[in-house]
Amino acid sequence: METFKFIVKIIAAVLVVKVLFFLGGMVAKDKAVEKPMIERFLNEFVINNSEFKYPIKVDDVTTLRSRKLIKEGGIYFVVEDLQMNVARETFAIPYQEVGDLVKTEASPQICQDFKENRENLFKGYSQVGLIQKYVDINNNFVAEVKFHISSC
């Protein structure tokens, strides 16, 4: 159980760091940017950035395999395909609870970061969210975690 709690804490810490990186990348001086500009920006600098060579090792437990952009209900989501290097059968809690646990651990920091940085972000940033899809070492589904400012 201690090992699993450690893994979840690492995942939550990684999420916070990634969100800070994501928020930092969204800073812009032009406050009148339209949604299509946001989409172009996300595609160029987050999704198709030539600096990212997948797979990317996030930490000892997690690897980022790819990213894509989807639009769901008028909101853009960066979807991250993440693989954990453990089998879900070895988790101390049911794998179905992992998503809720990760979201519970990471949401307070993510929401605080957004509130603190709100005035420095693109006007359309409220239309951008993050979905993380986790699979285990055997490519079995573990969790999908969705973050958006509307859930803060």
Side-chain angles (χ1 to χ4, degrees), residues 42-58:
L42 291 170
N43 276 315
E44 184 173 345
F45 295 103
V46 179
I47 306 301
N48 301 317
N49 189 327
S50 62
E51 298 295 317
F52 299 133
K53 303 291 184 222
Y54 299 103
I56 300 170
K57 185 174 182 174
V58 176

Side-chain angles (χ1 to χ4, degrees), residues 42-94:
L42 291 170
N43 276 315
E44 184 173 345
F45 295 103
V46 179
I47 306 301
N48 301 317
N49 189 327
S50 62
E51 298 295 317
F52 299 133
K53 303 291 184 222
Y54 299 103
I56 300 170
K57 185 174 182 174
V58 176
D59 59 30
D60 291 338
V61 178
T62 313
T63 301
L64 176 61
R65 300 190 306 181
S66 67
R67 285 187 179 124
K68 67 180 180 179
L69 186 64
I70 64 168
K71 190 171 181 182
E72 194 177 279
I75 299 171
Y76 293 101
F77 285 95
V78 174
V79 181
E80 296 183 328
D81 176 23
L82 297 153
Q83 183 172 36
M84 302 171 77
N85 70 359
V86 292
R88 69 182 191 187
E89 297 82 33
T90 64
F91 292 175
I93 64 170

Side-chain angles (χ1 to χ4, degrees), residues 6-23:
F6 177 73
I7 290 171
V8 169
K9 286 182 181 182
I10 287 175
I11 291 171
V14 167
L15 286 173
V16 169
V17 169
K18 287 169 61 175
V19 167
L20 288 174
F21 172 78
F22 186 70
L23 289 174

